[in-house]
Amino acid sequence: MSIHDNLYITESNRFCKEAGMDPNVVSRPKHFLTDKELTAKRTSYTEILSVVSFFSNKLLDSLKGTPILVVVSDAKGYLLDIEGDETIKETIKQFGIQIGSLFTLEDTGTNVISLALQQKHPISIIGTQHFHSFLHEIACYGTAFRYTDENSLLGSVSIMMPIQFQNPLFLTMLTQAVDSIERELLLRKQNKKLDIMNQIMLSRTRNGIVITDENGITTEFNDFAQQLSSNKREVVIGRNICESPITGTYFKEVLERGKIFKDEEIQFFDQEGKLVVCLFDAQPIYEDDNMIGAFGQFRDISDRYFLQKKYNYLAYHDDLTNLPNRRFINEEIDNIIKEINAGHKRSLALLYIDLDRFKVINDTFGHASGDNFLKKVSERLASCLERNDVLARMGGDEFIFVLKDFEDSNYVMKKAEKILKLFEESFYIGNDELHTSASIGIAIYPDYPISMEKLMVYADNAMYKAKEKGKNRYSVYTTGLLAGLEDEYRLEADLRRAVENDEFVLHYQPQIHPKTGTLVGLEALIRWQHPSLGLLSPDKFIRLAEDNGLINQIGKWVINEASSQNKKWQDAGFNPLKVSVNLSTQQFLTKDLITFMEDTLAQTGLDPQYLVVEITEYMAMEYEYSLKVLQKLKEIGIGISIDDFGTGYSSLTYLNNFPIDFIKIDKSFVFEIIDDHPNAYIVKAIIKLAHNLQMEVIAEGVETKEQLDFLIDQQCDFVQGFYFSKPLPADEIERIYLDKNNRE
């Protein structure tokens, strides 16, 4: 047992030792559910096991090819389900691990099921961390799952595998699967409550209610249903609802097939000839699993229908918070601006709100807590709405206040101060106390006409200025911000001329073998030789190129220039090297990419094996398209590298199926790999994963000898970064590296 083992493992093994357990003797479960008890337990867990099985199978599918077992227990530790590798199943039977067996520390010693149920966080027990030696060749990962609304423990989900397949990423994947399980269970629980509520009759409801028996004979027709339809209760009661020309078809489906209808729009004319528009729900009523009738409910939406006929309510409101959404607020602002431009005396201001550090909350406490947190924030923000204010959720953690028809700008500033004070008190999500603040950008509609889009840009820029100043504050849009925007517009115009005037150059950053220091490749990186501003790095103009559609044209220039330069070096007698070029998302998605690559290689004469294209994880998310394109590039002979690995969406299945040669570890991970920082474990895991998939690893951003030594120790294949060289022009690459390579 290592001194670095977690406390819960250390304490568990100490208990086993003090209890007199022999580590070399197989410790089997001592308590088992009878067949009757097991059937009853699994029956009570039917829905839970169904949800867990669905996400467990998704986890198993994503790890196809890895011998792995998924084990599910109830809250006491009784095994209820085992899925996965059949060989492991047969092996663990020898140790008494089977459905219905009870796992406790007292009976079975240190085990993943008991510890997962005890701890409030995911756990791992690897090899010799187990007390008993028969488990030393097994790696286990586990975590408990709960009803998150009441924090009641339901059970645990664990995965186990031969120790040679251990990987810290498995614990992350298991945690994500359990988060999905908890979300689905909570959703189903809430839906059950709604189903029960829909069957409760409230005499004062403002909905029209119809209830029938199992044969469709109407037994209840409430007062509001009479008002809505102009039909008398005594006329409707006792009639077969299936004969109704309005709802008969729906009730027939409910009674004969158990079908459920929700929010069906129904239109009919009452006895006075007035058009009535309703949303209609219908569902069966059950008692002890036997259908005893049908329940129908009408909600009159006639007023809303006529006032907002062209609008769909759901399209204009946010599902999570029920606040107006971006579409609603854009139209609201646009209409006010039109009235102002038409000469109406109106005032308008935007307060663009972004929550500070929300991503940390979401990542730390999970998406369910993050969603609940956003609901709490929206409720608190709504508390300071006044008569002429509108609050909307723009998406993610961004909200906006539209302030209308105020007398002076002091109202706007006071509103911003009031909003900031709302965040001085903590938010409570379950047992967790959460804190955040807000950054607010203010834009007041000026004395001259501007568009809704420009006003939104002003507010957004002011909000980012508030963040730059330290967050938890507001910033008002000023002409200084406008000057910054004007500079950006000028740069965009210059960028278009740069394409025409061939003002771009390539610099090349060496890729080095970490042990020998030998040059093994180069990454081509674009620079802009601006006529007045000098040499500009990509971060100054690539985003502009993406926004205005020039990125594809620039990207093609980079590939052609890099291929041509590499061929020139080879023709000059230098040792052949691979040169890597970055593909933008837009370029990767163009239909002529393959044709362009073939034409470029043919025109430059470069052997395809000396060209490598780098894509990001985000590009690979469109699986079918990405697989097809990458396979075609591979058929040509071009190398493929995944850039910035670890910062986006990674799927082990995708990595396994894509024809990838290199994985590049993002410099953000390399920067913090010293002194047992968590990123060190991520880097180790990525290198091990890549090597297992027969891929080579390039670590970028290496700046210190300590980082280099760590990467050498982890058997990283290649490195690049300022420790060796910054990106250099082609002539300096020749002088410093290629001449030396030839001499060696």
Side-chain angles (χ1 to χ4, degrees):
M1 187 166 57
S2 168
I3 60 173
H4 298 294
D5 288 345
N6 288 311
L7 180 61
Y8 58 85
I9 296 177
T10 305
E11 290 296 316
S12 177
N13 286 338
R14 182 176 62 79
F15 174 87
C16 295
K17 185 175 182 181
E18 292 176 357
M21 294 184 184
D22 187 342
N24 297 313
V25 175
V26 175
S27 183
R28 303 173 184 274
K30 296 180 177 56
H31 298 85
F32 299 83
L33 294 171
T34 65
D35 290 345
K36 184 176 180 181
E37 290 172 336
L38 179 58
T39 300
K41 173 65 73 171
R42 285 179 60 85
T43 299
S44 68
Y45 266 66
T46 297
E47 185 175 45
I48 295 172
L49 288 175
S50 171
V51 172
V52 174
S53 178
F54 174 80
F55 288 100
S56 296
N57 286 329
K58 289 186 69 174
L59 180 62
L60 289 170
D61 286 343
S62 70
L63 297 172
K64 195 172 293 182
T66 302
I68 189 170
L69 208 63
V70 179
V71 179
V72 183
S73 81
D74 71 359
K76 293 182 179 179
Y78 283 104
L79 297 195
L80 300 182
D81 199 14
I82 301 175
E83 296 181 16
D85 188 86
E86 294 297 329
T87 302
I88 303 180
K89 281 186 183 179
E90 291 301 317
T91 301
I92 64 174
K93 277 185 181 179
Q94 303 172 25
F95 307 135
I97 303 175
Q98 61 189 50
I99 293 177
S101 56
L102 175 65
F103 274 72
T104 65
L105 181 60
E106 293 79 3
D107 291 346
T108 54
T110 300
N111 66 89
V112 69
I113 296 165
S114 299
L115 291 180
L117 291 170
Q118 292 172 9
Q119 301 301 313
K120 293 183 178 180
H121 55 79
I123 69 160
S124 61
I125 313 178
I126 311 299
T128 55
Q129 291 180 331
H130 291 94
F131 180 79
H132 289 93
S133 58
F134 72 94
L135 295 173
H136 286 180
E137 296 303 316
I138 296 177
C140 298
Y141 304 91
T143 184
F145 64 97
R146 298 169 167 78
Y147 276 132
T148 53
D149 59 331
E150 57 190 39
N151 199 30
S152 58
L153 183 64
L154 293 174
S156 71
V157 181
S158 307
I159 58 176
M160 56 182 64
M161 67 204 69
I163 194 168
Q164 61 267 32
F165 293 94
Q166 64 161 311
N167 194 312
L169 289 176
F170 292 151
L171 189 59
T172 300
M173 295 175 69
L174 176 61
T175 304
Q176 292 172 343
V178 169
D179 184 50
S180 298
I181 289 169
E182 290 180 337
R183 281 173 158 226
E184 179 64 18
L185 288 175
L186 181 60
L187 179 62
R188 293 193 180 194
K189 184 179 179 184
Q190 291 170 339
N191 286 341
K192 283 182 180 179
K193 290 180 179 179
L194 289 175
D195 289 341
I196 293 171
M197 291 177 64
N198 283 338
Q199 297 189 52
I200 296 175
M201 291 298 303
L202 300 175
S203 61
R204 296 184 180 178
T205 180
R206 292 297 294 168
N207 294 339
I209 302 296
V210 182
I211 296 179
T212 78
D213 64 13
E214 67 272 23
N215 298 314
I217 303 302
T218 306
T219 60
E220 183 57 65
F221 194 72
N222 75 345
D223 290 340
F224 196 72
Q226 295 184 76
Q227 298 173 28
L228 204 59
S229 66
S230 299
N231 288 320
K232 295 295 183 181
R233 184 175 187 275
E234 53 267 26
V235 175
V236 176
I237 296 294
R239 290 175 55 182
N240 194 315
I241 195 68
C242 296
E243 297 173 0
S244 167
I246 300 171
T247 60
T249 303
Y250 295 103
F251 276 103
K252 188 176 176 63
E253 291 280 307
V254 171
L255 292 165
E256 293 182 358
R257 299 174 53 195
K259 193 169 181 180
I260 296 175
F261 295 95
K262 183 172 178 59
D263 291 338
E264 295 285 332
E265 185 174 290
I266 293 178
Q267 299 184 13
F268 58 91
F269 292 93
D270 63 15
Q271 291 184 354
E272 298 175 356
K274 179 183 176 183
L275 178 65
V276 179
V277 182
C278 293
L279 289 181
F280 174 69
D281 302 335
Q283 67 181 64
I285 301 173
Y286 292 100
E287 185 177 79
D288 297 329
D289 295 330
N290 296 317
M291 187 187 295
I292 61 171
F295 168 87
Q297 144 175 284
F298 300 84
R299 299 189 300 282
D300 187 3
I301 61 166
S302 300
D303 290 340
R304 189 175 80 197
Y305 179 84
F306 293 118
L307 290 173
Q308 299 182 332
K309 189 174 180 180
K310 65 178 180 178
Y311 299 130
N312 181 324
Y313 179 82
L314 296 176
Y316 283 84
H317 288 78
D318 174 55
D319 288 340
L320 180 65
T321 63
N322 290 321
L323 291 174
N325 62 11
R326 181 184 293 271
R327 181 182 296 156
F328 179 99
I329 215 70
N330 284 353
E331 291 192 8
E332 177 78 4
I333 297 169
D334 200 41
N335 289 335
I336 297 171
I337 290 176
K338 286 177 181 177
E339 290 190 18
I340 293 173
N341 293 341
H344 296 276
K345 188 176 181 181
R346 303 199 64 181
S347 53
L348 171 66
L350 306 184
L351 274 65
Y352 207 108
I353 303 165
D354 184 88
L355 304 183
D356 301 325
R357 299 179 298 280
F358 173 71
K359 186 178 186 303
V360 175
I361 293 173
N362 212 31
D363 293 346
T364 304
F365 296 95
H367 296 294
S369 293
D371 287 349
N372 288 332
F373 179 74
L374 289 174
K375 290 180 185 177
K376 298 273 189 182
V377 169
S378 67
E379 291 168 3
R380 199 174 287 186
L381 289 173
S383 69
C384 65
L385 279 170
E386 296 182 46
R387 185 167 60 91
N388 292 330
D389 303 341
V390 180
L391 170 64
R393 182 184 177 212
M394 301 300 283
D397 61 339
E398 295 181 342
F399 298 82
I400 192 167
F401 270 88
V402 177
L403 309 183
K404 304 177 290 182
D405 304 322
F406 48 86
E407 292 186 5
D408 59 56
S409 59
N410 285 335
Y411 176 80
V412 180
M413 308 310 164
K414 288 179 180 178
K415 178 71 69 174
E417 292 168 1
K418 190 173 182 179
I419 292 170
L420 291 175
K421 287 185 179 180
L422 292 176
F423 294 92
E424 292 178 356
E425 295 184 13
S426 303
F427 292 84
Y428 292 90
I429 308 298
N431 296 323
D432 298 315
E433 181 180 1
L434 307 180
H435 302 270
T436 192
S437 55
S439 297
I440 305 174
I442 299 175
I444 301 175
Y445 193 82
D447 296 332
Y448 51 87
I450 62 171
S451 67
M452 177 271 295
E453 291 83 1
K454 184 165 286 189
L455 186 64
M456 292 283 279
V457 168
Y458 290 173
D460 191 52
N461 276 271
M463 181 270 290
Y464 278 107
K465 184 60 66 176
K467 282 192 175 293
E468 289 176 10
K469 291 180 180 178
K471 305 177 182 178
N472 191 27
R473 66 192 65 222
Y474 66 83
S475 176
V476 182
Y477 172 79
T478 63
T479 53
L481 287 176
L482 178 61
L485 288 174
E486 290 174 346
D487 289 341
E488 188 170 282
Y489 295 150
R490 292 194 196 99
L491 197 62
E492 181 177 350
D494 291 346
L495 187 59
R496 294 186 183 278
R497 287 192 290 271
V499 174
E500 299 169 1
N501 299 335
D502 197 22
E503 295 174 1
F504 299 109
V505 295
L506 288 184
H507 285 192
Y508 299 85
Q509 187 167 40
Q511 296 171 334
I512 306 295
H513 190 288
K515 291 184 179 179
T516 64
T518 305
L519 179 70
V520 294
L522 297 165
E523 181 179 5
L525 298 164
I526 192 170
R527 300 290 187 267
W528 178 10
Q529 190 63 57
H530 192 281
S532 59
L533 300 177
L535 194 65
L536 300 181
S537 59
D539 60 315
K540 302 293 185 183
F541 61 90
I542 288 298
R543 183 181 62 80
L544 282 175
E546 291 173 338
D547 291 343
N548 62 24
L550 292 173
I551 190 65
N552 192 33
Q553 190 174 349
I554 293 173
K556 286 183 175 180
W557 179 88
V558 171
I559 293 172
N560 186 74
E561 178 66 17
S563 301
S564 178
Q565 180 62 67
N566 199 7
K567 178 61 174 170
K568 288 178 183 176
W569 281 330
Q570 292 180 16
D571 291 344
F574 295 117
N575 293 334
L577 291 169
K578 295 181 185 293
V579 173
S580 302
V581 294
N582 293 280
L583 286 183
S584 70
T585 301
Q586 293 180 32
Q587 195 174 7
F588 185 70
L589 296 175
T590 55
K591 293 181 179 179
D592 68 342
L593 175 63
I594 301 301
T595 303
F596 170 75
M597 299 300 288
E598 291 174 332
D599 292 345
T600 299
L601 291 169
Q603 292 168 10
T604 61
L606 180 68
D607 190 320
Q609 67 174 308
Y610 298 115
L611 179 64
V612 177
V613 294
E614 296 186 4
I615 67 170
T616 66
E617 293 171 78
Y618 291 101
M619 296 182 199
M621 289 178 68
E622 194 67 34
Y623 178 78
E624 296 295 337
Y625 175 86
S626 300
L627 180 60
K628 181 180 178 181
V629 172
L630 294 178
Q631 286 175 338
K632 287 184 178 179
L633 290 172
K634 196 65 179 176
E635 288 171 8
I636 296 172
I638 295 171
I640 299 168
S641 176
I642 294 286
D643 196 16
D644 299 335
F645 187 81
T647 61
Y649 175 86
S650 305
S651 166
L652 298 183
T653 301
Y654 290 5
L655 283 181
N656 191 37
N657 293 339
F658 287 162
I660 297 168
D661 302 294
F662 307 95
I663 287 180
K664 293 190 75 174
I665 301 175
D666 185 69
K667 59 186 177 183
S668 62
F669 292 106
V670 174
F671 183 72
E672 296 180 313
I673 58 177
I674 307 304
D675 298 328
D676 286 332
H677 189 278
N679 280 349
Y681 299 104
I682 295 175
V683 171
K684 290 179 184 178
I686 292 174
I687 294 174
K688 187 172 183 179
L689 171 65
H691 288 168
N692 286 339
L693 294 175
Q694 307 302 311
M695 301 173 189
E696 294 181 300
V697 181
I698 304 173
E700 54 184 358
V702 178
E703 297 183 0
T704 67
K705 187 175 186 305
E706 290 79 6
Q707 293 169 348
L708 177 63
D709 290 341
F710 175 91
L711 294 167
I712 292 174
D713 186 58
Q714 297 304 315
Q715 299 182 346
C716 182
D717 301 287
F718 311 117
V719 294
Q720 69 182 85
F722 283 8
Y723 181 78
F724 298 98
S725 173
K726 65 180 182 180
L728 300 171
D731 58 346
E732 291 191 42
I733 289 292
E734 291 179 19
R735 179 174 56 83
I736 300 173
Y737 287 96
L738 299 186
D739 284 333
K740 178 183 177 183
N741 247 27
N742 268 31
R743 290 196 301 272
E744 294 175 349

